[in-house]
Amino acid sequence: LRKNVEDFTGPRERSDLGFVTFDITADILNGKNAFPAIFDWNVKQLFLYLSAEYSTKNNALNQVVLWDKIMLRGDNPRLSLKDMKSKYFFFDDGNGLKGNRNITLTLSWNVVPNAGILPLVTGSGHVSVPFPDTYETTKSY
Amino acid sequence: QLYYQVLNFAMIVSSALMIWKGLIVVTGSESPIVVVLSGSMEPAFHRGDLLFLTNFHGDPIRAGEIVVFKVEGRDIPIVHRVIKVHEKGNGNIKFLTKGDNNDVDDRGLYKEGQNWLEKKDVVGRARGFLPYVGMVTIVMNDYPKFKYALLAVMGAYVLLKRES
C-alpha cells in the first residue's frame, strides 16, 4: 500500500483549506495486508476511504475523509490510482494546516456483509505528509 | 379461563417489553434496532434493511463509521457515514456526516445554521445488519390498513385459541 503526495494550503475565510494529490496502489486481494480472502461469500462490498488524521492547536484530533470508493464483490480488487485529487474539500476547523508537519494519510475500509457484522479495518500502510508554512496563492486547482 | 388467557397475553407482552428494554440497557442506545428508511446508503443498505446499533459511552466517533443520528427537534433517525471529525482535548467532538449515495454532505439536513453534529445527536453506531427484515415495519407504516389487519388477526387468534 503506497501513497505519494504533494500539497499546498490556501486560506478560505477563516479556515485553512488543504490540497492533496495522491497515488494509491493497493492489492486488496493478495496477502500484503493479510486479507487473502476478504471478498468471501458473505461480503457484498468494501467501502474504501482515504482519511487524513492530524492534531492542531484548536483540536486534539482531526480526521477528514479526502476520498472514498465503493468496491463491489466482483470489481477489480487491485487499485492503481495515480494523481488523484481529493474528492472532498480538506477544510480544517481553524488554521491548523499551515505549517503542520504531521498529517497522516491512511487507507481504511468498511466491510459490508450480505448479513452480519460491519467491521471497520485500517490498512497497514500509511503516509505522513507535511504542509508548508505559507499559503499558496498562485496555483489554481 | 378468560383470566388465564389475559394473564398469558400479558406475560407475552411484558416479556417482549423486558427484552427490548434489556437491549436498550446492554447496547447503550435508545433505539438499538433501526430500519433503514431511505436509499441514501446504497448499495450498502437498502430501504427495509435492519441495523443493530451500540452506543457505549466511551466509544469515540471516528471517520468512516456508520452512525445513526437524529437532527435536533426531529424524530426520524438518519443512517449515514462520518466523514469529518474534530475533537478537542476535553472530549468535545463535532462531526459531519454524508450518505454514501448522496453527492453532498448532510449540512442541508441539519438544523438551520447547524454545521456539525455532536455526541448528543447520536442514537448509535451501526455494528451489524440484516437485509430486508425491516420491510415489515415500513409496510405497516405506509399502509396502516395492513397494521390493523395484522392486529385483528392476532386478536382473533388469541380469542379463538380459547375455544379449542
Side-chain angles (χ1 to χ4, degrees):
Chain A
L1 203 65
R2 254 170 291 116
K3 292 175 270 300
N4 312 311
V5 294
E6 135 214 344
D7 50 275
F8 48 95
T9 61
R12 287 287 181 281
E13 297 164 359
R14 274 165 294 151
S15 292
D16 283 358
L17 178 62
F19 293 95
V20 177
T21 53
F22 52 92
D23 304 337
I24 296 183
T25 319
D27 196 339
I28 306 262
L29 209 55
N30 298 322
K32 278 214 196 118
N33 287 316
F35 288 109
I38 198 171
F39 273 114
D40 64 26
W41 60 274
N42 192 25
V43 173
K44 185 160 70 171
Q45 72 176 54
L46 292 187
F47 184 91
L48 300 137
Y49 55 101
L50 183 72
S51 55
E53 186 171 319
Y54 59 97
S55 277
T56 62
K57 213 161 40 114
N58 253 356
N59 292 299
L61 174 70
N62 301 276
Q63 290 185 327
V64 178
V65 172
L66 300 179
W67 168 92
D68 55 40
K69 177 180 170 58
I70 295 179
M71 184 188 272
L72 300 168
R73 180 149 125 238
D75 283 354
N76 186 355
R78 283 179 186 73
L79 288 178
S80 190
L81 307 161
K82 301 237 177 292
D83 259 349
M84 304 284 299
K85 296 205 171 74
S86 66
K87 214 172 174 190
Y88 306 112
F89 284 120
F90 188 171
F91 267 114
D92 180 38
D93 176 37
N95 300 98
L97 292 183
K98 179 166 96 159
N100 196 323
R101 290 273 170 258
N102 201 2
I103 317 262
T104 312
L105 296 182
T106 329
L107 186 67
S108 314
W109 54 90
N110 187 195
V111 181
V112 181
N114 282 314
I117 310 223
L118 294 156
L120 224 59
V121 180
T122 307
S124 56
H126 57 86
V127 165
S128 231
V129 174
F131 269 112
D133 289 333
T134 54
Y135 291 125
E136 181 66 56
T137 46
T138 52
K139 267 201 181 124
S140 68
Y141 190 58
Chain B
Q1 301 92 325
L2 179 62
Y3 179 66
Y4 182 73
Q5 288 292 325
V6 170
L7 217 54
N8 212 8
F9 183 68
M11 269 252 304
I12 296 174
V13 170
S14 53
S15 304
L17 206 62
M18 270 179 7
I19 293 176
W20 180 245
K21 290 294 183 192
L23 257 186
I24 291 181
V25 168
V26 156
T27 62
S29 167
E30 68 179 51
S31 185
I33 302 182
V34 294
V35 177
V36 175
L37 297 172
S38 76
S40 56
M41 283 295 281
E42 287 182 19
F45 307 136
H46 297 86
R47 210 168 115 83
D49 289 347
L50 209 65
L51 286 177
F52 298 93
L53 316 179
T54 62
N55 195 23
F56 301 126
H57 180 69
D59 267 352
I61 298 189
R62 294 289 174 254
E65 290 189 334
I66 301 174
V67 296
V68 177
F69 61 91
K70 281 198 195 154
V71 176
E72 210 173 295
R74 305 217 199 109
D75 258 335
I76 308 179
I78 303 180
V79 185
H80 282 170
R81 199 180 293 272
V82 175
I83 59 168
K84 289 196 179 158
V85 175
H86 294 290
E87 179 174 345
K88 298 220 182 282
N90 61 9
N92 210 308
I93 295 190
K94 59 187 189 194
F95 62 100
L96 180 64
T97 55
K98 174 183 166 294
D100 289 352
N101 205 20
N102 292 344
D103 283 332
V104 298
D105 60 42
D106 288 347
R107 288 208 163 111
L109 291 175
Y110 300 166
K111 219 170 58 162
E112 174 92 41
Q114 180 187 9
N115 282 330
W116 303 94
L117 289 175
E118 290 163 32
K119 249 202 176 137
K120 65 171 178 51
D121 301 311
V122 173
V123 172
R125 264 159 221 77
R127 295 289 186 211
F129 104 109
L130 281 178
Y132 314 123
V133 174
M135 253 317 186
V136 178
T137 48
I138 290 188
V139 167
M140 293 212 299
N141 233 358
D142 290 349
Y143 304 105
K145 290 210 183 99
F146 183 78
K147 181 162 61 173
Y148 300 137
L150 196 66
L151 285 174
V153 167
M154 280 172 30
Y157 175 72
V158 170
L159 289 172
L160 291 173
K161 208 166 153 213
R162 172 151 76 109
E163 317 255 324
S164 69

